[in-house]
Amino acid sequence: MDRAAVSGDGWIRQVSPLIGEEEARAVHRVVESGWITEGPESAAFVEELKEYVGARFAVLAPNGTLALALGLLALGVGPGDEVLVPDTTFVGSASAVALTGAKPVFVDVEPTTFQINMADAERRATSATKAVMPVHLYGTACDMTAVSAFADERGLRVIEDAAQGMGVRFRGQHVGTFGDVGCFSFFADKTITTGEGGFVTCRDESTYERLRLLRNQGRMNSGTFIHPSVGFNFRITDMQAAMGRVQLRRLSQIVERKQTLYAAYRDALSGIRGVRVLGAAEGANHVPFRCVALVDDAAPLMERLTSHQIESRTFFYPLHLQPAFASLRGPDTSDRDFPNAVAGYEGGICLPVHSGLTVDDVARIAGVIRDHQESPQGKGTL
Ligand SMILES: Cc1ncc(COP(=O)(O)O)c(C=O)c1O
């Protein structure tokens, strides 16, 4: 029962996970077993994920945002600390920092890949900086050689936001395994999904112990009411884990499908004036999260796509402009300090790349884009 991208009402949607009978059977088996909270499926899921990404230690989390918060707390990030976060990312990267009581400090991104710009990170680091959060955005990777060198030089902790990074490698190593901790999301639009879900990896045993304590009410194992420290309930359910295990087995099929669709986009959009499709960053592979393109002015093109019942999205709204973080803006904060994040928001467009989409759907989307770009409203300076 793989769902079609085009719903009954004719719309091409942004998100349509590849889930089917096997996931349904796996969830059903858990329900029938009577053990629905974290149990054997969760334990097996963690082991399989660890093996896939090549992590030494790991725990599950309820979602990507709480995976990041858990990772930060396990690293001892808290009030008085600053964490460097790219200006172009989902708000959850920064709200996880805020949730610990620390301050997210926004850093501009690279103009062509939209990954964190390390030269700008240098400028914004202060004596209060405790950690840097590279975010592996849009299906490719940050330059982890540069991030690690920067962090080592200053004694900073590295927390990787690999929410969108399942299957993505930098110089052959899976993202989320370079830093002190790495965090993944299994939300419905991610490469593999458990509906909601997350995963935190780490390299050393003491961080692993902190992760376990913090996620399970301040104790290492359930079944006792003696809690050595304060913690939270950041557990998941065995129903989600059972679904995740099926998804992990499908991962190569999902990746292949996304890459086929992305290649179809590349072909169909090449030669259209004013459209530049982004791809893998240097040293990294590409597991397209969306088909991400730059145009001169995204807003009218998105309107045109909507009028043809095609859902598209902007790039993430720059964090320095987010109303939620207005209190962090100083009198000198200016868009001029974040030129690439602002340009990305104005000219970036995200097109669907999910398993429910067909190559014919891609041709239909590209046809609308071509018509728009070649019309008087389309601009072509790129
Ligand atoms: C880059 C990034 N970070 C963090 C998150 C948060 O993950 P979740 O939605 O599972 O909380 C997302 C999810 O969209 C994301 O794209």
Side-chain angles (χ1 to χ4, degrees), residues 81-88 103-109 116-132 150 154 156 318-321 328-330 332-342:
D81 295 329
E82 295 181 355
V83 179
L84 299 167
V85 177
D87 203 42
T88 300
K103 177 180 163 189
V105 172
F106 306 129
V107 174
D108 200 17
V109 291
I116 190 166
N117 178 315
M118 295 316 293
D120 199 43
E122 297 266 1
R123 285 191 284 276
R124 297 186 198 262
T126 71
S127 57
T129 308
K130 171 107 181 211
V132 55
F150 168 82
R154 285 166 188 74
L156 304 181
L319 290 176
H320 78 276
L321 294 173
L328 299 180
R329 271 199 290 276
D332 301 334
T333 306
S334 151
D335 279 1
R336 281 195 302 278
D337 299 329
F338 302 93
N340 302 325
V342 171

Side-chain angles (χ1 to χ4, degrees), residues 251-379:
L251 178 58
S252 58
Q253 180 197 359
I254 296 170
V255 170
E256 211 173 287
R257 185 94 162 253
K258 279 174 170 280
Q259 289 174 339
T260 301
L261 292 166
Y262 174 76
Y265 268 116
R266 265 230 129 112
D267 282 353
L269 295 175
S270 77
I272 301 182
R273 70 168 187 169
V275 179
R276 182 148 50 91
V277 177
L278 306 186
E282 205 187 317
N285 67 333
H286 190 212
V287 178
F289 176 66
R290 300 285 192 275
C291 175
V292 175
L294 287 176
V295 296
D296 281 298
D297 191 0
L301 174 59
M302 290 177 68
E303 265 174 46
R304 174 77 72 112
L305 287 163
T306 305
S307 73
H308 285 79
Q309 297 190 299
I310 296 162
E311 285 185 350
S312 61
R313 294 279 186 274
T314 61
F315 277 19
F316 292 118
Y317 193 50
L319 290 176
H320 78 276
L321 294 173
Q322 283 288 359
F325 293 117
S327 63
L328 299 180
R329 271 199 290 276
D332 301 334
T333 306
S334 151
D335 279 1
R336 281 195 302 278
D337 299 329
F338 302 93
N340 302 325
V342 171
Y345 182 68
E346 285 168 357
I349 179 165
C350 295
L351 302 165
V353 182
H354 52 69
S355 306
L357 208 67
T358 65
V359 169
D360 286 346
D361 293 329
V362 171
R364 179 178 145 201
I365 295 166
V368 174
I369 294 174
R370 181 182 297 278
D371 288 348
H372 175 80
Q373 291 300 112
E374 288 175 0
S375 73
Q377 299 104 295
K379 292 188 202 156

Side-chain angles (χ1 to χ4, degrees), residues 78-101:
D81 295 329
E82 295 181 355
V83 179
L84 299 167
V85 177
D87 203 42
T88 300
T89 180
F90 181 62
V91 70
S93 312
S95 41
V97 175
L99 199 135
T100 70

Side-chain angles (χ1 to χ4, degrees), residues 62-66 68 89-93 135-137 161-164 184-187 189-190 196-198 289 316:
N63 54 58
T65 309
L66 290 179
L68 288 164
T89 180
F90 181 62
V91 70
S93 312
V135 180
H136 304 289
L137 210 59
D161 180 341
Q164 302 180 1
F184 294 82
S185 164
F186 303 131
F187 183 65
D189 71 342
K190 300 301 184 292
E196 300 278 1
F289 176 66
F316 292 118

